[in-house]
Amino acid sequence: MRNLKEAIRGYSKHILAFTVIIVLFAFSRLPVLSATEREAIASRFQFTRFPLPEVAGEPYHQLRQVNPSLERHSGWISAVGAAVALNDLDGDGLDNDVCYVEPRNDQVIVAPVPGTGDRYKPFTLSPINLAYDAVTMAPMGCLPGDMNEDGAMDLLVYYWGRTPVAFLNSEVGRGGFLAKIEDSTQINEINPPLHIAKIEDSTQINGINSPLHKGEKISTLLSLNSNSYEAQDIVFTGDKWYTNAATFSDLDGDGHNDLIIGNYFRDNSEIIDPDSTKIEEMQDSMTRAYNGGTNRVLLWQENPENIAYKDVKGIFDQQTLHGWTLGVGTADLDGDLLPEIYFANDFGPDRLLHNRSVPGKIQFAVLQGKKGFTTPNSKVLGHDSFKGMSVDFGDINHDGLLDIYVSNIADEYALEESHFLFTSTGEYDKMKKGIAPYKDQSEPLGVSRSGWGWETKFADFDNDGELEALQATGFRKGEVYRWPELHELALSNDQLLKVSNSWFKFQDGDDLSGHQHNPFFVRAGDGRYYDLAPELGLDEPYVTRGIATADVDGDGDLDFVFANQWDDSYFYRNDSHDTGAFLDLKLLRYSNASISEAIGASVTVGLPDGRKLVAQVDGGNGHSGVRSSRLHFGLGKVSVDAALPVEVQWRDIEGQPQHTSLLLSPGSHTVRLGETTKIASSKS
């Protein structure tokens, strides 16, 4: 017995160490769902895939021509460009039109979404009347928005190699005045074709789908084509920008939507000019790079003839100004109807900016999170050293406060940083002191890991009141595994990193995270998100950049599009069964004869069980995917006859804060926000 005790004492340290290892291993294991649970949750969803329409043009390529000094890693330079947006471009009342960038031949394509009818032929947008060189310039994104406030949906296209271009909807009759109505009686449920006898010439009006009043603008169904849009420069500097993200938002609270532009490579570089003699620089750090392009705020300016924006200077600190930005998002986080800005930056810390502006004067303050005893530096908002790609906002815990979902690189056995899900603590008074009231919960909530992440999007696809989380992943698909070379480069001296000749060979045929699938995260009963893409048939490996969501067919559930890099892009129609009730809101801001989408308006929906659903009208948040500007709420098992309390806050066309309380039943509603709020509705 004595010998046994002595033996135990002799091995006590080893036993303790082994016990600690076992305990740590148990804690390190990720929760898993049983096959039965996964199957049960997956049964709530069903999607049918359709390729996006194509337009004949230049032959497809898989690699960009680049500056000779960057040729060695041309595959890296060629990593971005695929983009997509969903919206109502032809005025039929449905978000069944797509604008997407085809990087294989640098086309910007406008088309009806597959399965929504041949309302017009697909066509391309090209700034043929502006300075444009297809060899040294390339489109990177398409952003819908009413830039001249005439009630028509315009398109902003941004590029590498030049400043963005506004394609203004110039279709005759679009947004025209109906001045011959003899009284102000509201006209509802007009279905084309229709003759209105009170109009003196009895003109036929087709495609009218919203309430009309005396003297106000109308929206008529368009047969779109390339001549429907007039290209205009939005700034006239002649500079070469390398834009990878843009969003509309009323930053100064004057009632007009401004533009935030996120640029990547340094301005006036010659990145994709194959005849350039310039030696171009890459980022000067993998974790603290501030030699990127200039991020910009373009302030809306009144101009009766053309659109006009003022490039505002001196509002960002140098680190915010020159981060390598891939994603931009805005949302009013503290309830003052002034949107905060989130810059998702590659190669270094993201930036969350607190809005302290007044009309005509832009002012922001940098916010940073507070580090706790057990919090790694890179998990603190504003201190991360990761590779920010995109950002989205949504309330994932039903506390009535928006949370922030950020995509980074989290590739197992490669570069496993972490994606972020910053949940709000609600301590918004701290924002006045420069503190970001957010805590990263991505690991306990299950969304910290996936792959080389790009776009992030929240959406409720089964209308159960819980947000799903989509993510675009993958870098370049090939056969030669190049992660060892990238690791070697990342460990090198920063002074060498910016020198392009020090980079490893990365060209056509090389692979970095090229065989991943896009996660489809669904929340389970334990409160954690799980990737159910394999069970839903969504696990085909793509290299995806943009995700756009909308109720394309008007059936009450959200559909989506994946914009893929160097591959076909696809529309996924939602064919799920037994989905819950929904509330779909199109918010329009009216004043006199002016009409525009109420970007930034905030909506809170009260449910019978006491939960609250919140969302804000999105002006284009993310990397290169733009969701519909309609707000979609899944309501769960709410009766279709229920009267739900809905609170709406917005700024009117004069910039004054406004609030209205509504009672709305489930279904689709167009809400006129003005002196008197008016509603046009359809049941679910």
Side-chain angles (χ1 to χ4, degrees):
M1 179 66 67
R2 180 179 179 182
N3 290 338
L4 177 60
K5 291 181 178 179
E6 290 178 352
I8 292 175
R9 281 197 297 269
Y11 285 100
S12 61
K13 293 182 179 179
H14 298 81
I15 294 172
L16 177 61
F18 184 73
T19 302
V20 169
I21 290 172
I22 294 297
V23 171
L24 291 176
F25 175 75
F27 276 110
S28 69
R29 296 196 66 186
L30 297 176
V32 296
L33 287 178
S34 69
T36 302
E37 290 176 291
R38 295 180 68 90
E39 183 178 350
I41 297 174
S43 67
R44 306 195 320 242
F45 305 92
Q46 182 177 336
F47 299 95
T48 305
R49 189 185 75 170
F50 301 88
L52 291 188
E54 299 181 11
V55 177
E58 294 295 320
Y60 284 167
H61 54 265
Q62 301 292 317
L63 204 67
R64 297 193 187 282
Q65 294 187 88
V66 301
N67 182 302
S69 68
L70 305 173
E71 179 62 34
R72 182 174 176 81
H73 57 286
S74 58
W76 188 285
I77 306 301
S78 303
V80 292
V84 64
L86 291 171
N87 212 290
D88 179 10
L89 301 181
D90 67 352
D92 69 350
L94 295 172
D95 293 314
N96 53 10
D97 303 292
V98 63
C99 179
Y100 79 100
V101 177
E102 172 53 85
R104 292 177 293 186
N105 60 4
D106 291 329
Q107 290 178 321
V108 181
I109 298 175
V110 176
V113 174
T116 64
D118 299 326
R119 289 166 282 121
Y120 55 90
K121 293 182 178 180
F123 62 92
T124 61
L125 296 177
S126 181
I128 54 176
N129 57 327
L130 304 178
Y132 188 77
D133 182 354
V135 176
T136 63
M137 304 172 185
M140 292 287 144
C142 183
L143 177 62
D146 182 4
M147 284 174 275
N148 53 5
E149 299 184 350
D150 66 349
M153 187 58 66
D154 310 309
L155 294 167
L156 180 83
V157 178
Y158 51 87
Y159 300 86
W160 273 15
R162 66 153 294 140
T163 53
V165 173
F167 289 86
L168 300 181
N169 193 322
S170 59
E171 186 78 14
V172 175
R174 175 72 164 178
F177 284 93
L178 185 61
K180 302 295 185 180
I181 295 180
E182 293 181 358
D183 57 34
S184 59
T185 302
Q186 188 175 16
I187 303 172
N188 286 303
E189 299 178 0
I190 299 176
N191 296 311
L194 174 72
H195 292 274
I196 298 180
K198 292 183 180 180
I199 296 180
E200 291 180 354
D201 59 1
S202 298
T203 303
Q204 187 179 35
I205 303 175
N206 289 297
I208 300 175
N209 51 62
S210 61
L212 301 177
H213 290 264
K214 183 178 180 180
E216 83 179 15
K217 297 182 179 183
I218 65 172
S219 173
T220 59
L221 183 64
L222 305 180
S223 180
L224 295 178
N225 56 62
S226 59
N227 295 323
S228 301
Y229 294 91
E230 176 186 347
Q232 290 188 16
D233 278 306
I234 62 170
V235 293
F236 301 93
T237 63
D239 290 337
K240 299 173 183 176
W241 296 0
Y242 289 83
T243 305
N244 274 123
T247 191
F248 290 109
S249 194
D250 180 7
L251 295 179
D252 62 346
D254 67 349
H256 304 282
N257 292 320
D258 311 303
L259 264 170
I260 304 97
I261 301 293
N263 288 324
Y264 195 70
F265 283 101
R266 181 175 293 174
D267 297 0
N268 295 315
S269 300
E270 297 176 357
I271 302 300
I272 52 176
D273 184 351
D275 298 320
S276 175
T277 59
K278 288 182 65 175
I279 305 299
E280 295 294 352
E281 283 189 357
M282 297 297 293
Q283 72 273 17
D284 58 8
S285 172
M286 278 289 188
T287 59
R288 292 291 185 269
Y290 305 116
N291 65 328
T294 305
N295 289 327
R296 287 179 158 84
V297 164
L298 303 181
L299 202 62
W300 185 91
Q301 303 290 294
E302 187 170 3
N303 188 320
E305 296 182 359
N306 297 300
I307 60 167
Y309 291 92
K310 179 182 178 181
D311 188 356
V312 185
K313 309 290 185 182
I315 59 174
F316 296 145
D317 65 275
Q318 287 300 303
Q319 293 183 355
T320 303
L321 193 66
H322 293 296
W324 290 68
T325 299
L326 284 172
V328 175
T330 67
D332 173 20
L333 301 178
D334 58 358
D336 63 357
L337 291 178
L338 289 174
E340 277 61 59
I341 302 178
Y342 193 104
F343 285 112
N345 293 327
D346 207 354
F347 313 123
D350 295 347
R351 283 287 180 266
L352 177 61
L353 306 180
H354 186 216
N355 196 337
R356 302 176 181 179
S357 305
V358 296
K361 183 180 180 181
I362 299 291
Q363 184 176 355
F364 288 95
V366 176
L367 300 181
Q368 295 186 344
K370 297 292 287 186
K371 177 178 168 60
F373 180 72
T374 60
T375 310
N377 283 336
S378 281
K379 285 283 195 171
V380 179
L381 198 156
H383 288 273
D384 68 284
S385 58
F386 294 165
K387 318 298 182 292
M389 309 286 190
S390 186
V391 59
D392 198 18
F393 303 91
D395 179 12
I396 56 94
N397 49 12
H398 302 295
D399 61 358
L401 306 173
L402 291 178
D403 309 302
I404 308 173
Y405 183 25
V406 180
S407 194
N408 292 289
I409 303 177
D411 203 340
E412 289 188 345
Y413 309 108
L415 182 59
E416 193 164 10
E417 295 175 334
S418 174
H419 310 305
F420 295 139
L421 185 44
F422 290 115
T423 58
S424 173
T425 66
E427 302 168 297
Y428 290 122
D429 286 345
K430 292 185 176 181
M431 296 172 75
K432 299 175 183 178
K433 302 176 182 179
I435 298 173
Y438 292 90
K439 181 180 179 181
D440 178 51
Q441 295 289 304
S442 58
E443 180 70 2
L445 288 173
V447 295
S448 63
R449 314 172 187 219
S450 66
W452 192 308
W454 295 85
E455 192 80 79
T456 54
K457 280 289 185 289
F458 282 128
D460 184 354
F461 289 99
D462 61 348
N463 292 338
D464 68 343
E466 295 287 349
L467 294 173
E468 281 73 61
L470 268 66
Q471 190 178 45
T473 62
F475 190 75
R476 187 173 183 87
K477 188 181 295 186
E479 295 77 41
V480 182
Y481 188 73
R482 292 296 184 186
W483 268 108
E485 288 92 335
L486 178 55
H487 285 148
E488 186 177 58
L489 177 72
L491 294 172
S492 66
N493 189 295
D494 282 350
Q495 295 303 308
L496 290 176
L497 183 64
K498 65 182 179 181
V499 179
S500 57
N501 285 340
S502 70
W503 278 61
F504 62 99
K505 180 181 178 182
F506 190 70
Q507 298 177 333
D508 199 20
D510 294 326
D511 186 279
L512 280 174
S513 302
H515 294 81
Q516 300 173 336
H517 71 262
N518 296 321
F520 189 97
F521 288 112
V522 183
R523 204 163 192 180
D526 62 1
R528 185 179 175 88
Y529 281 93
Y530 295 88
D531 175 20
L532 298 185
E535 284 79 6
L536 299 176
L538 301 176
D539 57 340
E540 186 169 346
Y542 290 121
V543 172
T544 306
R545 293 294 173 266
I547 303 172
T549 61
D551 181 4
V552 166
D553 46 12
D555 64 350
D557 53 37
L558 290 175
D559 314 288
F560 66 93
V561 174
F562 282 151
N564 295 324
Q565 187 76 13
W566 314 124
D567 205 342
D568 292 339
S569 295
Y570 292 97
F571 163 63
Y572 292 81
R573 188 183 66 204
N574 192 342
D575 294 327
S576 303
H577 303 289
D578 299 323
T579 56
F582 71 95
L583 184 66
D584 186 273
L585 301 179
K586 184 176 183 63
L587 302 182
L588 299 174
R589 187 173 55 184
Y590 278 72
S591 178
N592 297 324
S594 176
I595 175 176
S596 61
E597 290 192 305
I599 292 174
S602 178
V603 174
T604 301
V605 180
L607 297 180
D609 61 6
R611 288 184 301 156
K612 294 184 182 298
L613 305 177
V614 300
Q616 295 178 16
V617 179
D618 186 345
N621 295 338
H623 168 56
S624 64
V626 183
R627 60 162 56 88
S628 160
S629 49
R630 300 180 72 102
L631 295 182
H632 185 94
F633 299 91
L635 305 176
K637 301 303 181 181
V638 171
S639 168
V640 295
D641 296 318
L644 302 174
V646 177
E647 303 294 324
V648 185
Q649 292 179 296
W650 77 99
R651 286 186 183 268
D652 64 21
I653 202 71
E654 304 298 328
Q656 296 301 309
Q658 302 290 342
H659 172 269
T660 189
S661 298
L662 307 172
L663 283 176
L664 298 176
S665 60
S668 296
H669 306 269
T670 297
V671 181
R672 289 169 37 113
L673 300 172
E675 293 181 1
T676 302
T677 298
K678 297 185 182 298
I679 304 166
S681 308
S682 64
K683 286 288 187 179
S684 61

